[in-house]
Amino acid sequence: VCTGIAFALHAYTNEGDNILIQNPVYNPFRTVIEEANRTLVMQDLLGNEQEGYTIDFDALESAFKDDDIKVFLFCSPQNPTGRVWHRDELAKVVALCKQYDVLLFSDEIHRDLIMPGHEHIAIGNIDPDFDNYVLFASPSKTFNLAGFNHSFMVVPRADLREKLDTFLHAIHVTGGQPAGYIASEAAYTYGSEWVENVNQVIWDNYQLLKTTVQTALPQVQFSDLQGTYLAWLDLGAYVKNADLKEVVQDRARLGVNYGTTYWPTRPEDTHIRINLATKTEIIETAANNLVKAIQEWQ
Ligand SMILES: Cc1ncc(COP(=O)(O)O)c(C=O)c1O
Protein backbone atom coordinates (compact mmCIF):
# COMPACT_ATOMS: atom_id res chain seq x y z
CA VAL A 1 0.00 0.00 0.00
CA CYS A 2 2.81 2.43 0.83
CA THR A 3 4.30 1.72 -2.60
CA GLY A 4 0.95 2.66 -4.13
CA ILE A 5 0.81 5.86 -2.09
CA ALA A 6 4.34 6.73 -3.25
CA PHE A 7 3.37 6.05 -6.90
CA ALA A 8 0.29 8.25 -6.55
CA LEU A 9 2.20 11.09 -4.89
CA HIS A 10 4.67 11.07 -7.79
CA ALA A 11 1.96 10.76 -10.43
CA TYR A 12 -0.39 13.45 -9.10
CA THR A 13 1.69 16.02 -7.23
CA ASN A 14 4.86 18.06 -7.67
CA GLU A 15 7.93 18.47 -5.51
CA GLY A 16 7.20 20.74 -2.57
CA ASP A 17 3.41 20.32 -2.74
CA ASN A 18 1.62 20.34 0.62
CA ILE A 19 0.26 16.97 1.74
CA LEU A 20 -1.86 16.77 4.91
CA ILE A 21 -1.96 13.99 7.51
CA GLN A 22 -3.64 13.76 10.92
CA ASN A 23 -1.68 12.61 13.99
CA PRO A 24 -1.53 10.17 15.61
CA VAL A 25 -1.16 8.10 12.46
CA TYR A 26 0.74 5.21 10.90
CA ASN A 27 4.27 6.66 10.73
CA PRO A 28 5.20 5.73 7.12
CA PHE A 29 2.57 8.33 6.12
CA ARG A 30 5.24 10.87 7.07
CA THR A 31 8.19 9.16 5.47
CA VAL A 32 6.41 8.40 2.19
CA ILE A 33 5.61 12.12 1.84
CA GLU A 34 9.05 13.34 2.91
CA GLU A 35 10.90 10.83 0.76
CA ALA A 36 8.89 12.00 -2.24
CA ASN A 37 10.16 15.55 -1.48
CA ARG A 38 6.64 16.77 -0.82
CA THR A 39 5.87 19.06 2.13
CA LEU A 40 4.36 17.38 5.15
CA VAL A 41 1.52 19.28 6.84
CA MET A 42 0.37 17.74 10.13
CA GLN A 43 -2.61 18.35 12.34
CA ASP A 44 -4.02 16.46 15.31
CA LEU A 45 -7.17 14.44 15.70
CA LEU A 46 -9.38 15.80 18.47
CA GLY A 47 -10.12 13.90 21.66
CA ASN A 48 -8.58 11.13 23.67
CA GLU A 49 -9.36 7.68 25.07
CA GLN A 50 -12.21 8.87 27.35
CA GLU A 51 -13.96 11.11 24.82
CA GLY A 52 -13.05 9.12 21.74
CA TYR A 53 -11.02 10.43 18.84
CA THR A 54 -12.61 12.57 16.14
CA ILE A 55 -11.57 14.69 13.19
CA ASP A 56 -10.96 18.39 13.86
CA PHE A 57 -13.09 19.64 10.98
CA ASP A 58 -12.38 23.30 11.70
CA ALA A 59 -8.64 22.68 11.48
CA LEU A 60 -9.16 20.57 8.36
CA GLU A 61 -11.14 23.31 6.66
CA SER A 62 -8.59 26.00 7.63
CA ALA A 63 -5.77 23.91 6.21
CA PHE A 64 -7.69 23.30 2.97
CA LYS A 65 -8.55 26.98 2.73
CA ASP A 66 -5.25 28.58 3.72
CA ASP A 67 -2.44 26.07 3.26
CA ASP A 68 -2.85 25.07 -0.37
CA ILE A 69 -3.21 21.37 0.46
CA LYS A 70 -2.93 19.24 -2.69
CA VAL A 71 -3.61 15.84 -1.13
CA PHE A 72 -5.19 14.72 2.14
CA LEU A 73 -3.74 11.33 3.09
CA PHE A 74 -6.51 9.88 5.24
CA CYS A 75 -6.46 6.69 7.31
CA SER A 76 -9.80 4.84 7.35
CA PRO A 77 -10.10 2.79 9.58
CA GLN A 78 -7.60 4.70 11.65
CA ASN A 79 -4.24 3.27 12.76
CA PRO A 80 -3.43 3.60 15.71
CA THR A 81 -6.62 4.89 17.42
CA GLY A 82 -8.84 2.09 16.07
CA ARG A 83 -11.55 4.50 14.91
CA VAL A 84 -13.93 3.35 12.19
CA TRP A 85 -15.25 6.59 10.76
CA HIS A 86 -19.02 7.08 10.67
CA ARG A 87 -20.91 8.05 7.55
CA ASP A 88 -21.43 11.64 8.75
CA GLU A 89 -17.70 12.05 9.41
CA LEU A 90 -16.79 10.66 6.00
CA ALA A 91 -19.44 12.87 4.39
CA LYS A 92 -17.82 15.96 5.94
CA VAL A 93 -14.37 14.90 4.72
CA VAL A 94 -15.75 14.38 1.21
CA ALA A 95 -17.66 17.69 1.26
CA LEU A 96 -14.53 19.62 2.28
CA CYS A 97 -12.39 17.88 -0.36
CA LYS A 98 -15.01 18.81 -2.96
CA GLN A 99 -15.34 22.39 -1.78
CA TYR A 100 -11.59 23.06 -1.77
CA ASP A 101 -10.66 20.74 -4.64
CA VAL A 102 -8.32 18.57 -2.55
CA LEU A 103 -7.42 15.12 -3.88
CA LEU A 104 -8.29 12.54 -1.21
CA PHE A 105 -6.06 9.49 -0.68
CA SER A 106 -8.03 7.04 1.46
CA ASP A 107 -5.87 4.28 2.94
CA GLU A 108 -8.36 1.52 3.73
CA ILE A 109 -5.94 -1.33 4.36
CA HIS A 110 -7.73 -2.15 7.65
CA ARG A 111 -11.16 -2.19 5.96
CA ASP A 112 -12.01 -5.83 6.75
CA LEU A 113 -10.84 -5.75 10.37
CA ILE A 114 -14.00 -4.36 11.93
CA MET A 115 -15.24 -5.03 15.46
CA PRO A 116 -18.82 -5.91 16.48
CA GLY A 117 -21.31 -3.07 16.08
CA HIS A 118 -19.21 -1.12 13.58
CA GLU A 119 -19.33 -0.82 9.82
CA HIS A 120 -16.60 0.38 7.49
CA ILE A 121 -17.82 2.53 4.60
CA ALA A 122 -15.58 2.79 1.55
CA ILE A 123 -14.91 6.37 0.54
CA GLY A 124 -16.58 5.83 -2.85
CA ASN A 125 -19.87 4.98 -1.14
CA ILE A 126 -20.39 8.39 0.42
CA ASP A 127 -21.33 10.69 -2.43
CA PRO A 128 -22.04 9.51 -5.99
CA ASP A 129 -20.80 12.86 -7.35
CA PHE A 130 -17.41 12.59 -5.66
CA ASP A 131 -14.64 11.01 -7.70
CA ASN A 132 -11.60 13.05 -6.72
CA TYR A 133 -10.10 10.26 -4.65
CA VAL A 134 -7.82 7.26 -4.72
CA LEU A 135 -8.60 4.33 -2.45
CA PHE A 136 -5.69 2.14 -1.37
CA ALA A 137 -6.19 -1.33 0.11
CA SER A 138 -4.78 -4.82 0.17
CA PRO A 139 -5.70 -8.31 1.32
CA SER A 140 -2.28 -8.42 3.01
CA LYS A 141 -3.35 -7.72 6.59
CA THR A 142 -6.75 -9.40 6.57
CA PHE A 143 -5.43 -12.65 5.11
CA ASN A 144 -1.77 -12.48 6.15
CA LEU A 145 -0.62 -12.20 2.53
CA ALA A 146 1.95 -9.41 2.92
CA GLY A 147 4.63 -11.72 1.47
CA PHE A 148 2.98 -11.40 -1.93
CA ASN A 149 3.81 -7.66 -2.04
CA HIS A 150 0.41 -7.03 -3.52
CA SER A 151 -2.08 -4.20 -3.03
CA PHE A 152 -4.67 -2.39 -5.11
CA MET A 153 -5.85 1.13 -5.82
CA VAL A 154 -9.30 2.28 -6.87
CA VAL A 155 -9.01 5.31 -9.16
CA PRO A 156 -12.45 6.32 -10.41
CA ARG A 157 -11.36 9.35 -12.48
CA ALA A 158 -10.23 8.39 -15.99
CA ASP A 159 -7.70 11.23 -16.20
CA LEU A 160 -6.13 10.15 -12.91
CA ARG A 161 -5.92 6.56 -14.13
CA GLU A 162 -4.16 7.75 -17.26
CA LYS A 163 -1.67 9.85 -15.30
CA LEU A 164 -0.91 6.88 -13.08
CA ASP A 165 -0.46 4.57 -16.07
CA THR A 166 1.90 7.08 -17.69
CA PHE A 167 3.98 7.30 -14.52
CA LEU A 168 4.07 3.52 -14.01
CA HIS A 169 4.99 2.97 -17.65
CA ALA A 170 7.86 5.45 -17.28
CA ILE A 171 9.31 3.54 -14.32
CA HIS A 172 8.63 0.17 -16.00
CA VAL A 173 6.11 -1.13 -13.51
CA THR A 174 3.95 -3.23 -15.78
CA GLY A 175 1.92 -5.24 -13.27
CA GLY A 176 1.94 -7.06 -9.97
CA GLN A 177 3.24 -10.53 -9.27
CA PRO A 178 0.97 -13.15 -10.86
CA ALA A 179 0.83 -15.14 -7.62
CA GLY A 180 -0.39 -12.02 -5.81
CA TYR A 181 -3.44 -11.70 -8.08
CA ILE A 182 -4.30 -15.36 -7.56
CA ALA A 183 -3.86 -15.17 -3.78
CA SER A 184 -5.94 -11.96 -3.60
CA GLU A 185 -8.74 -13.40 -5.70
CA ALA A 186 -8.78 -16.61 -3.65
CA ALA A 187 -8.82 -14.67 -0.37
CA TYR A 188 -11.66 -12.36 -1.41
CA THR A 189 -13.63 -15.21 -3.00
CA TYR A 190 -13.33 -17.86 -0.31
CA GLY A 191 -12.15 -16.03 2.80
CA SER A 192 -15.29 -14.70 4.49
CA GLU A 193 -15.30 -17.35 7.22
CA TRP A 194 -11.64 -16.60 7.95
CA VAL A 195 -12.44 -12.89 8.26
CA GLU A 196 -15.25 -13.56 10.73
CA ASN A 197 -13.01 -15.77 12.83
CA VAL A 198 -10.05 -13.44 12.75
CA ASN A 199 -12.19 -10.49 13.85
CA GLN A 200 -13.55 -12.58 16.72
CA VAL A 201 -10.03 -13.45 17.90
CA ILE A 202 -8.95 -9.80 17.71
CA TRP A 203 -12.05 -8.72 19.66
CA ASP A 204 -11.56 -11.41 22.33
CA ASN A 205 -7.88 -10.48 22.64
CA TYR A 206 -8.76 -6.80 23.04
CA GLN A 207 -11.31 -7.54 25.77
CA LEU A 208 -8.88 -9.82 27.58
CA LEU A 209 -6.07 -7.26 27.45
CA LYS A 210 -8.30 -4.38 28.51
CA THR A 211 -10.03 -6.25 31.34
CA THR A 212 -6.81 -7.72 32.75
CA VAL A 213 -4.96 -4.41 32.66
CA GLN A 214 -7.79 -2.20 33.90
CA THR A 215 -8.77 -4.55 36.74
CA ALA A 216 -5.31 -4.08 38.22
CA LEU A 217 -4.57 -0.58 36.90
CA PRO A 218 -7.88 1.25 36.42
CA GLN A 219 -6.26 4.42 35.15
CA VAL A 220 -4.74 2.85 32.04
CA GLN A 221 -6.90 4.35 29.31
CA PHE A 222 -7.81 2.26 26.26
CA SER A 223 -9.01 3.73 22.99
CA ASP A 224 -12.27 2.08 21.91
CA LEU A 225 -11.36 -0.66 19.43
CA GLN A 226 -13.75 -0.21 16.49
CA GLY A 227 -11.45 -1.59 13.81
CA THR A 228 -7.83 -2.66 13.06
CA TYR A 229 -5.95 -5.21 15.18
CA LEU A 230 -4.18 -2.58 17.24
CA ALA A 231 -4.80 -1.67 20.86
CA TRP A 232 -3.90 1.95 21.63
CA LEU A 233 -3.55 2.65 25.32
CA ASP A 234 -2.25 5.43 27.51
CA LEU A 235 -0.05 4.47 30.47
CA GLY A 236 0.50 8.11 31.49
CA ALA A 237 -1.22 7.77 34.89
CA TYR A 238 1.50 5.33 35.96
CA VAL A 239 4.57 5.79 33.77
CA LYS A 240 6.29 8.90 32.39
CA ASN A 241 7.41 9.03 28.78
CA ALA A 242 11.09 8.85 29.79
CA ASP A 243 10.48 5.57 31.67
CA LEU A 244 8.23 3.82 29.14
CA LYS A 245 10.90 1.70 27.50
CA GLU A 246 12.34 0.57 30.81
CA VAL A 247 8.93 -0.52 32.12
CA VAL A 248 7.39 -1.95 28.94
CA GLN A 249 10.40 -3.33 27.12
CA ASP A 250 13.01 -4.11 29.78
CA ARG A 251 10.74 -5.17 32.65
CA ALA A 252 7.51 -6.43 31.02
CA ARG A 253 9.56 -7.80 28.07
CA LEU A 254 7.04 -6.55 25.50
CA GLY A 255 7.89 -5.43 22.00
CA VAL A 256 5.35 -2.68 21.37
CA ASN A 257 5.21 0.51 19.36
CA TYR A 258 5.47 3.77 21.29
CA GLY A 259 3.11 6.72 20.93
CA THR A 260 5.74 9.21 19.79
CA THR A 261 6.20 7.13 16.63
CA TYR A 262 2.66 8.08 15.62
CA TRP A 263 2.59 11.46 17.30
CA PRO A 264 5.97 13.08 16.67
CA THR A 265 4.68 16.48 17.76
CA ARG A 266 4.09 15.09 21.28
CA PRO A 267 7.54 14.18 22.62
CA GLU A 268 6.10 13.41 26.08
CA ASP A 269 3.41 11.05 24.79
CA THR A 270 2.72 7.99 26.97
CA HIS A 271 0.72 5.76 24.64
CA ILE A 272 1.76 2.33 23.51
CA ARG A 273 0.33 0.34 20.60
CA ILE A 274 -0.06 -3.40 21.08
CA ASN A 275 -0.65 -5.75 18.15
CA LEU A 276 -3.62 -8.01 18.98
CA ALA A 277 -3.28 -10.25 15.92
CA THR A 278 -1.78 -13.18 17.76
CA LYS A 279 -2.67 -16.12 19.96
CA THR A 280 -4.80 -15.39 22.99
CA GLU A 281 -2.18 -17.03 25.29
CA ILE A 282 0.37 -14.45 24.12
CA ILE A 283 -2.00 -11.58 24.88
CA GLU A 284 -2.65 -13.09 28.31
CA THR A 285 1.08 -13.25 29.06
CA ALA A 286 1.56 -9.74 27.72
CA ALA A 287 -1.26 -8.35 29.87
CA ASN A 288 0.05 -10.04 33.02
CA ASN A 289 3.64 -8.95 32.36
CA LEU A 290 2.53 -5.37 31.77
CA VAL A 291 0.46 -5.27 34.96
CA LYS A 292 3.31 -6.72 37.06
CA ALA A 293 5.92 -4.37 35.62
CA ILE A 294 3.77 -1.27 36.19
CA GLN A 295 2.78 -2.33 39.71
CA GLU A 296 6.42 -2.91 40.65
CA TRP A 297 7.33 0.46 39.15
CA GLN A 298 4.97 2.38 41.49
C1 LIG B 1 -2.73 2.44 7.53
C2 LIG B 1 -1.69 1.54 6.94
N1 LIG B 1 -1.31 1.67 5.66
C3 LIG B 1 -0.39 0.86 5.10
C4 LIG B 1 0.22 -0.14 5.85
C5 LIG B 1 1.28 -1.00 5.26
O1 LIG B 1 1.01 -1.41 4.05
P1 LIG B 1 2.12 -2.14 3.15
O2 LIG B 1 2.91 -3.05 4.04
O3 LIG B 1 1.28 -2.82 2.17
O4 LIG B 1 2.95 -1.03 2.59
C6 LIG B 1 -0.14 -0.31 7.18
C7 LIG B 1 0.53 -1.35 7.99
O5 LIG B 1 0.57 -1.31 9.20
C8 LIG B 1 -1.12 0.54 7.74
O6 LIG B 1 -1.50 0.40 9.02
Side-chain angles (χ1 to χ4, degrees):
V1 159
C2 290
T3 311
I5 294 171
F7 287 163
L9 283 173
H10 284 281
Y12 303 140
T13 65
N14 297 311
E15 282 207 7
D17 278 357
N18 290 343
I19 317 294
L20 181 81
I21 64 169
Q22 292 170 326
N23 290 324
V25 80
Y26 177 60
N27 48 310
F29 272 25
R30 299 200 305 277
T31 44
V32 74
I33 293 166
E34 287 171 341
E35 286 165 6
N37 294 323
R38 273 55 175 170
T39 306
L40 181 64
V41 179
M42 298 193 283
Q43 53 182 231
D44 285 345
L45 294 176
L46 281 180
N48 53 34
E49 281 60 45
Q50 292 98 314
E51 297 161 14
Y53 287 93
T54 52
I55 294 166
D56 186 342
F57 286 104
D58 292 337
L60 189 64
E61 177 155 17
S62 309
F64 283 3
K65 197 154 74 184
D66 302 328
D67 297 342
D68 195 22
I69 302 296
K70 299 293 189 220
V71 167
F72 172 28
L73 176 51
F74 180 53
C75 195
S76 171
Q78 218 272 346
N79 169 6
T81 64
R83 272 303 317 276
V84 173
W85 304 113
H86 300 152
R87 182 175 289 278
D88 62 331
E89 294 169 306
L90 295 170
K92 280 192 208 163
V93 168
V94 164
L96 288 173
C97 287
K98 265 170 102 170
Q99 184 178 348
Y100 294 99
D101 197 25
V102 172
L103 177 59
L104 180 60
F105 285 4
S106 189
D107 178 337
E108 304 189 15
I109 195 168
H110 293 275
R111 65 203 301 276
D112 308 308
L113 302 164
I114 305 297
M115 298 302 107
H118 295 279
E119 183 196 9
H120 171 74
I121 307 170
I123 203 67
N125 290 341
I126 295 298
D127 174 351
D129 294 331
F130 178 64
D131 60 2
N132 197 24
Y133 71 85
V134 179
L135 183 157
F136 301 84
S138 171
S140 56
K141 291 194 182 301
T142 316
F143 301 99
N144 200 7
L145 296 177
F148 284 96
N149 273 349
H150 205 85
S151 75
F152 61 88
M153 299 161 68
V154 178
V155 190
R157 258 177 60 184
D159 61 324
L160 292 183
R161 283 200 300 277
E162 253 178 63
K163 270 190 183 168
L164 187 66
D165 284 345
T166 305
F167 172 76
L168 293 177
H169 182 81
I171 59 167
H172 290 250
V173 172
T174 51
Q177 293 180 46
Y181 290 104
I182 293 165
S184 302
E185 187 176 359
Y188 286 129
T189 308
Y190 305 110
S192 61
E193 196 183 334
W194 162 267
V195 177
E196 271 174 41
N197 288 332
V198 98
N199 279 327
Q200 189 61 51
V201 172
I202 294 165
W203 182 240
D204 291 346
N205 285 352
Y206 172 71
Q207 306 269 74
L208 175 69
L209 178 71
K210 188 173 178 212
T211 308
T212 308
V213 171
Q214 285 188 330
T215 302
L217 302 162
Q219 290 179 75
V220 173
Q221 308 293 344
F222 278 74
S223 188
D224 186 29
L225 188 74
Q226 303 180 351
T228 81
Y229 49 66
L230 304 162
W232 176 247
L233 48 149
D234 190 356
L235 305 182
Y238 301 97
V239 189
K240 290 200 299 285
N241 170 278
D243 301 323
L244 271 181
K245 277 204 175 125
E246 168 151 12
V247 176
V248 177
Q249 188 173 301
D250 301 340
R251 297 184 178 220
R253 314 289 296 159
L254 301 185
V256 303
N257 299 94
Y258 294 95
T260 46
T261 303
Y262 308 97
W263 222 331
T265 51
R266 287 202 180 181
E268 298 304 317
D269 189 80
T270 46
H271 287 89
I272 59 171
R273 197 194 73 168
I274 296 181
N275 193 324
L276 299 163
T278 185
K279 289 180 186 160
T280 299
E281 304 91 87
I282 292 177
I283 295 296
E284 198 175 354
T285 306
N288 291 332
N289 286 7
L290 187 63
V291 166
K292 189 161 172 275
I294 294 177
Q295 280 174 337
E296 285 174 3
W297 184 253
Q298 297 313 298

